[in-house]
Amino acid sequence: MDNNMDIDGSAVDVGQLKNGDIDESLYSRQLYVLGHEAMKRMGSSHVLIAGLRGLGVEIAKNIALAGVKSLTLFDPEPAAIPDLSSQFFLHPDDVGKPRAAVTAPRVAELNAYTPVSVYPSQSLTENLDDLRQYQVIVLTGTSLKDQLTISDFAHKNGIFIVVADIFGLFGSIFTDFGKQFAIADTTGETPVSGIIADIDSEGLVSALDETRHGLEDGDYVTFSEIQGMESLNNSAPRKIVVKGPYTFSIGDVSGLGEYRRGGLYTQVKMPKLVDFQPLSEQLQKPEILISDFAKFDRPQQLHVGFQALHAFRDKHDHLPKPHSDKDATEVLEIAQGLAGQGEDKVELDEKLIRELSYQARGDLSPMAAFFGGLAAQEVLKSVSGKFHPIVQWLYFDSLESLPSSVERSEDICKPTGSRYDGQVAVFGAKFQEKLANVNQFLVGAGAIGCEMLKNWALMGLGTGPKGKINVADMDQIEKSNLNRQFLFRPKDVGKLKANCAAEAVQAMNPELTGKIITFRDRVGPETEHVFTEKFWEELDGVTNALDNVDARQYVDRRCVFFRKPLVDSGTLGTKGNSQVVLPRLTESYSSSQDPPEQSFPQCTLRSFPNKIEHTIAWAKEKFHQYFVGPPETVNLYNTQSNYIEQSLKQAGNEIPTLQSIRDFLVSEKPSTFDDCIIWARNQFEKEYNNAIQQLLYNFPKDSTTASGAPFWSGPKRAPDPLKFDASNPTHFSFVKATANLHAFNYGIKKDKGMPEARYLEVMENMIIPEFSPNPTVKIQADENEPDPNAQNGESNFDDNDELHKLVSSLPPPDPSEGSRLQPVEFEKDDDTNHHINFITAASNLRAQNYAIPEADRHKTKFIAGKIIPAIATTTALVTGLVVLELYKIIDGKDDIEQYKNGFVNLALPFFGFSEPIASPKGEYLGTNGKVTIDKLWDRFEVEDVTLREFLDDFKKQGLDIMMLSSGVSLLYASFYPPSKLKDRMGLKLSKLVETISKKPIPSHQQNVIFEMTVEDQTEEDVEVPYVMLKLHKSSGC
C-alpha cells in the first residue's frame, strides 16, 4: 500500500531533491542556520512521529518545513472535539476519523520535498522490526509502557528517540541518540579567525592590535601565512588555553624556530562524542537540563509527577479529571511512592503535584508550540549532527500563567464539548470568556506573525462579541517565506501576507470569521491617519512580530504613549527572545539598545582589505557606484531646473559628480548591448588591474613605514593585479552581470538566450590600453591619517576651469520620459536579476587580488543581503513563550515577578528567563512634599487652557516652568521679555502651538505633546514627565 501523498499545484521541482540538490530559493533562510551538509543529511533521513494531537502535529509541521527524506505519521485514534484546542490541521468535520489519516495530507502541503505517509499498522509495538526503516522516532501522547518498549528497541538498533509530553502548563522532553553520538558542530557559530601579532618561545599567541581573539579553553586552531614558524602553517589543529582576551597558548613550540612576522589563526570545529543512556536507565537516574534556574528544585519533582500520571492512566485508562481533588489525591499518593524509591529521595511539593493532576487533560497551543519547536529541533540535531542535543531530559512549566482574576474549580474546568475544552481544563470557562473578548493588534504577519495567529485562533482569542484581531503587514509573500511562514502555500506567492494569514486562521477556527481586520499599511509616523488615536485607545494589547528594529521601536513608543501592554519577540537562527512591556511596571523595548552594526574604515575597503567581509562590502559599494548613484544623478540633472547651479554648488564634490553625468550621458553612453559588454570589460580592467598597479606604485611591496617596519604587514596584504581571462568563470561572470545591469540602466534589451560566445567575440575585438601609474595620485595609507582626497566641503565651482569645461561638455537637460535612466533597486532574492551574481564576482575578484579566501554565492548573498537566518523551530518555540505571557496580561496581573522575559538558544541548548526590568522612577519636591513619578509611563494631562492658566496650575503643584516647547517650537521661556510674552499669555495652548509653529494641528490628531524644563520647591532643575494636551476633537474613524 502506497501511503505517500500526491500534492498538486506545487511551485517546486521535487526532482531537485532526488539529485541531491537543495532548493536555495525555498530553504534560503534555513540554510544560513543549518548549512548545506546538515541539510543534505536531513534530506536522506526517514522520520516517524507518533501521536497527532497538538504537540505531535506541531513537531510534524516543523520537520516537514525543515525538509527530510520522508515523514511518517502514526495515530489511529479518532479525532475528538477537544483536539481542536491545539491541533490546527483538524476541522470539526474530522471528528471520529483517524487523526493520522486526516492530518497527513495537510502536513504534506507544507513542503513538496517532504513526502508524508501514514503508518499502516494500528500499533507500533506489535512488530518492532517495522521500525528499523526509520532513523528517528518521535513519541508524543504515548503510554510509558510503549515508550519503554520502543525506546529499548531503538537504543539497541541505533535508532534515535525523542519523547515529548505536555499536560496543561507542564511539559517534558527526553532524548536518546545512542552510544558515541557524534556532534559535528556544537554551537553553529561561525569559526573565529584573526591576525597574529606574535608567538613567543613558550607558545603564547598574541592577537594583532589587541583585538579580542574570541576563543575559549579547549578550542582548536590552525595557522597559515606565518613566517618564521612555517611548520605551524596548515598543520594539524592545536588545542588552546586562553590566557587573556588578546592571548592564548598553543603549548610546546620548541624546535619550530623563531617567529618573525605575519600569520592568521582560524578556529576549527572538532567533533564531540556523547553517550546516551536508554529510557529505562534514565527513568531511574535522570540527567536533566535545567530550563529555568528560578525553579531549580522542580524538574526532579516533575520527573516523578509525570510517571505518576502515566501510572494513573494505566490504572484507569484515562488521565485525571480537570481540577478533581479526588484524582489529584491519588496521583499524589502514587508520586509519593515513586519519590521514595531509588538512591536519591525526591522531596515533593504537594501543591505542585496536585496542580499537575488538575491540568493533566489540558492541551494548550502555546505549550505545544514551545515543545513542538524544541522536539523538532532535537530531531534535526539527531539526523544532521548539527548543534548540541538535550542530554537527556528537560522539564518546563509556566504556572505563572494561571489566572488569579477568576476562580477555578472542577465544575468551572469541566469539559462541555467545546473546541476550547483543552484550554478550559487549565484556566476555566470564565477565563475563556475573557480571552474571547480581547481586542489585540498584531504588527507583522511573517514567520512569528503566522505562528502567533495560529495560537490565537486555537485559543479563541478575539472570538467573542467584543473581541477583535487587527493584523498589519504591507509585504507580499515570496517563495523563501514558505519554508517557515506555514500559513502560506505556493499558490499564495505574490499575495498580501496579512490577508492570506487571516484567511488561513479563519479556516482553522471559523469562530474568527469577521473578527480579523487586516491592514496593508506599514505601522509608522506616515500612517497615523490610519492607525488613529481612537484605534490605539480601543486596543487591549499589542504584539510585535517584526524583524525591523526601527519599526519595533515605533510600535513600542506608541504603546508607551497610549499605555498599552506589548509583547515583543525576535529570532536569529536558533536564538530567540521574548520581552514583556507593561504600563507603569516595566521598561520598554526601546529602553535598551542593540550594539551598532559593524562598519569598516573606508581606507580598508578602498585599499587594504584582509577578509572576505571587506571585499563584499566593497562590491556592494561598487554596485551603488555603477548602477544606482549615477542614474539617479543623471535623472536629477535632467529634471531639476538649475541642478548644477543649486544642488551641485552646495555639495563640495562637483568634479566626480559632473564626470559621472558626462560619462553616463556622453562619453560612455551605450546604444547597444555590445556597448554594455565593452563597458563591463573596461570596468574589470580599471578595478582589478589598473587600480592595483596604482596602489603598488604608491606603496611598492618592499615599502617600509616611518619606523622601518614593512608597510605590507599585519592587516595590510600586498595585492597583485589580475590579468583578464575569459575562460575564468569569475572573470566572465563579472562581465556578464555588469553588462546586464548597465543595460538595465539604459533600458537596452539583449537578445534572449544570448550565447556566451557573443560576449567573447565582443571582448576579443576590444583594444585594452596599457596602464601607466599616475605620480600625482595620493592614497590614504591609514585610517588615522587624513584622507588626501577628501573634499573640504567648500565649493570651488566659480573659479575652476576644469569644472566649466565639464559643464560645457554636458548635453542640455532633457526632462522627457525617454531620457530617464532606470536605477537598479537591490533585490537579493531574485536569482535572475544579476544583483548577487555581480556582488559575488566583484567581491571574489577583489579577494583574488589580495589572496583572500573567496566566498561562494550563498555566503555572499547572506552578507551582502544582511539576511536574518531563520528556522521554523525557533519561531514556533518563541511564539509559545509570547502567548504564555499574553495569558498573564489578559488576566491583568500587576506583579512584575509573575512575568518572564525569555532568552533561548536551541543550538547549545540554553534557556534563560528573567524578571522584566522595572521602569525608572524619579521624584520632585511639590507643595505637599515629595512626589514619585514613573519616568517612562507618567505624564501630565491638561485641557486646552490658556498659557497663563497652564503656568499657574503647575505653580500650585510646586513646579516653576522655565521653558515650554512643542516639537521644534519654543512656546515659553522664563527669560523672554514681557513684551514677547504679552500676546502669548492669553492664548489657548492649541492656538499658541499653531501661532508659533505657523502650522495647523492635523485634523486626525487628538492631542499635542509639550516638553518642559522646571524647577521644584528646592529651586533646582528636576526631570518631570511630558505634558499631553487633550483636544477632544470628534473622530471620523
Side-chain angles (χ1 to χ4, degrees), residues 184-185 187-194 213-215 219-222 265-270 386 611 613 859:
D185 179 357
T187 67
E189 299 296 331
T190 304
V192 299
S193 60
H213 52 65
L215 296 165
D219 283 347
Y220 285 78
V221 296
T222 56
Y265 66 86
T266 304
Q267 181 189 9
V268 178
K269 297 289 182 85
M270 302 295 280
K386 181 94 173 190
K611 55 185 180 181
E613 288 81 2
K859 181 177 178 179

Side-chain angles (χ1 to χ4, degrees), residues 380-438:
L380 301 182
K381 291 176 186 179
S382 72
V383 295
S384 69
K386 181 94 173 190
F387 310 137
H388 201 294
I390 291 170
V391 183
Q392 289 188 248
W393 296 90
L394 179 138
Y395 288 91
F396 171 80
D397 74 80
S398 182
L399 286 185
E400 302 82 10
S401 298
L402 284 174
S404 52
S405 63
V406 296
E407 58 180 318
R408 296 183 301 142
S409 67
E410 187 168 356
D411 186 57
I412 292 171
C413 296
K414 70 184 179 187
T416 59
S418 158
R419 65 177 295 134
Y420 308 117
D421 276 352
Q423 187 164 250
V424 170
V426 179
F427 298 117
K430 292 181 180 177
F431 190 70
Q432 186 63 45
E433 191 178 325
K434 269 194 161 188
L435 290 171
N437 287 295
V438 165

Side-chain angles (χ1 to χ4, degrees), residues 206-510:
S206 302
L208 185 74
D209 293 337
E210 292 206 335
T211 305
R212 290 179 178 272
H213 52 65
L215 296 165
E216 297 178 1
D217 278 346
D219 283 347
Y220 285 78
V221 296
T222 56
F223 298 96
S224 59
E225 302 183 19
I226 293 174
Q227 296 179 33
M229 286 185 171
E230 284 84 356
S231 58
L232 279 176
N233 292 330
N234 305 313
S235 63
R238 295 184 72 126
K239 192 174 183 178
I240 67 108
V241 176
V242 172
K243 296 297 185 182
Y246 316 110
T247 56
F248 58 90
S249 171
I250 56 171
D252 184 17
V253 291
S254 58
L256 298 182
E258 188 176 340
Y259 173 83
R260 286 210 316 277
R261 59 182 256 197
L264 306 171
Y265 66 86
T266 304
Q267 181 189 9
V268 178
K269 297 289 182 85
M270 302 295 280
K272 177 182 178 181
L273 298 178
V274 177
D275 277 334
F276 286 81
Q277 294 178 334
L279 177 61
S280 54
E281 292 179 29
Q282 276 288 304
L283 272 177
Q284 306 307 316
K285 203 166 184 182
E287 187 172 354
I288 298 175
L289 174 71
I290 303 295
S291 64
D292 186 346
F293 284 93
K295 304 173 180 179
F296 194 79
D297 62 338
R298 209 168 272 184
Q300 289 283 357
Q301 296 183 67
L302 293 180
H303 186 69
V304 170
F306 275 45
Q307 291 178 66
L309 285 183
H310 281 291
F312 183 98
R313 180 161 55 184
D314 288 346
K315 180 179 176 183
H316 298 282
D317 205 28
H318 62 75
L319 286 166
K321 297 186 187 73
H323 226 280
S324 165
D325 284 319
K326 178 175 174 289
D327 289 354
T329 299
E330 185 176 342
V331 170
L332 178 61
E333 287 171 359
I334 298 170
Q336 287 168 337
L338 291 167
Q341 297 173 5
E343 300 170 23
D344 301 320
K345 306 289 187 286
V346 179
E347 219 174 289
L348 295 181
D349 176 351
E350 180 179 331
K351 191 177 175 186
L352 177 70
I353 302 301
R354 283 188 172 277
E355 194 59 65
L356 175 60
S357 177
Y358 290 162
Q359 298 184 32
R361 293 196 192 182
D363 192 12
L364 302 177
S365 62
M367 290 298 289
F370 180 90
F371 277 96
L374 189 56
Q377 190 67 59
E378 293 305 302
V379 170
L380 301 182
K381 291 176 186 179
S382 72
V383 295
S384 69
K386 181 94 173 190
F387 310 137
H388 201 294
I390 291 170
V391 183
Q392 289 188 248
W393 296 90
L394 179 138
Y395 288 91
F396 171 80
D397 74 80
S398 182
L399 286 185
E400 302 82 10
S401 298
L402 284 174
S404 52
S405 63
V406 296
E407 58 180 318
R408 296 183 301 142
S409 67
E410 187 168 356
D411 186 57
I412 292 171
C413 296
K414 70 184 179 187
T416 59
S418 158
R419 65 177 295 134
Y420 308 117
D421 276 352
Q423 187 164 250
V424 170
V426 179
F427 298 117
K430 292 181 180 177
F431 190 70
Q432 186 63 45
E433 191 178 325
K434 269 194 161 188
L435 290 171
N437 287 295
V438 165
N439 180 359
Q440 194 74 12
F441 186 20
L442 177 66
V443 190
I448 289 176
C450 282
E451 294 286 339
M452 202 70 67
L453 283 171
K454 174 253 298 180
N455 279 285
W456 292 359
L458 296 168
M459 293 161 58
L461 190 85
T463 55
K466 297 178 183 175
K468 190 194 298 181
I469 294 175
N470 307 274
V471 186
D473 197 310
M474 62 179 292
D475 288 342
Q476 294 174 313
I477 298 162
E478 299 172 0
K479 186 180 176 184
S480 65
N481 300 150
L482 302 180
N483 174 235
R484 64 203 181 283
Q485 299 178 19
F486 89 105
L487 295 180
F488 308 140
R489 301 291 179 267
K491 65 180 174 58
D492 298 323
V493 171
K495 298 177 184 175
L496 285 168
K497 287 184 177 181
N499 291 350
C500 285
E503 287 171 17
V505 295
Q506 284 171 121
M508 201 176 279
N509 183 356

Side-chain angles (χ1 to χ4, degrees), residues 176 180 205 207 250 292 326 348 398 412 421 461 469 478 594 605 650 686 709 727 738 802 813 816 873 888 984 1019:
D176 174 8
Q180 296 286 286
V205 181
I250 56 171
D292 186 346
K326 178 175 174 289
L348 295 181
S398 182
I412 292 171
D421 276 352
L461 190 85
I469 294 175
E478 299 172 0
D594 288 333
L605 298 185
Q650 298 167 8
K686 173 183 164 189
S727 65
T738 305
E802 184 182 355
S816 67
T873 50
K888 304 172 188 178
R984 300 186 183 191
E1019 297 187 358

Side-chain angles (χ1 to χ4, degrees), residues 43-117:
S44 61
S45 302
H46 302 276
V47 179
L48 170 66
I49 297 175
L52 288 170
R53 296 184 73 209
L55 176 55
V57 77
E58 187 74 45
I59 299 168
K61 177 257 291 179
N62 293 328
I63 292 173
L65 290 170
V68 291
K69 182 78 170 177
S70 77
L71 181 59
T72 304
L73 306 180
F74 171 80
D75 193 338
E77 293 298 313
I81 283 289
D83 295 343
L84 302 179
S85 290
S86 63
Q87 220 284 26
F88 45 83
F89 279 151
L90 289 181
H91 305 148
D93 55 5
D94 295 324
V95 171
K97 300 173 187 174
R99 287 194 196 109
V102 292
T103 302
R106 293 159 193 167
V107 174
E109 288 178 0
L110 294 169
N111 189 350
Y113 291 135
T114 303
V116 180
S117 61

Side-chain angles (χ1 to χ4, degrees), residues 76-149:
E77 293 298 313
I81 283 289
D83 295 343
L84 302 179
S85 290
S86 63
Q87 220 284 26
F88 45 83
F89 279 151
L90 289 181
H91 305 148
D93 55 5
D94 295 324
V95 171
K97 300 173 187 174
R99 287 194 196 109
V102 292
T103 302
R106 293 159 193 167
V107 174
E109 288 178 0
L110 294 169
N111 189 350
Y113 291 135
T114 303
V116 180
S117 61
V118 176
Y119 192 77
S121 172
Q122 293 292 300
S123 167
L124 290 180
T125 54
E126 68 181 11
N127 187 356
L128 291 172
D129 283 335
D130 286 347
L131 302 178
R132 294 182 190 275
Q133 61 188 298
Y134 304 107
Q135 276 71 49
V136 57
I137 299 170
V138 184
L139 302 177
T140 72
T142 310
S143 70
L144 184 56
K145 179 185 173 185
D146 283 356
Q147 289 178 17
L148 286 164
T149 302

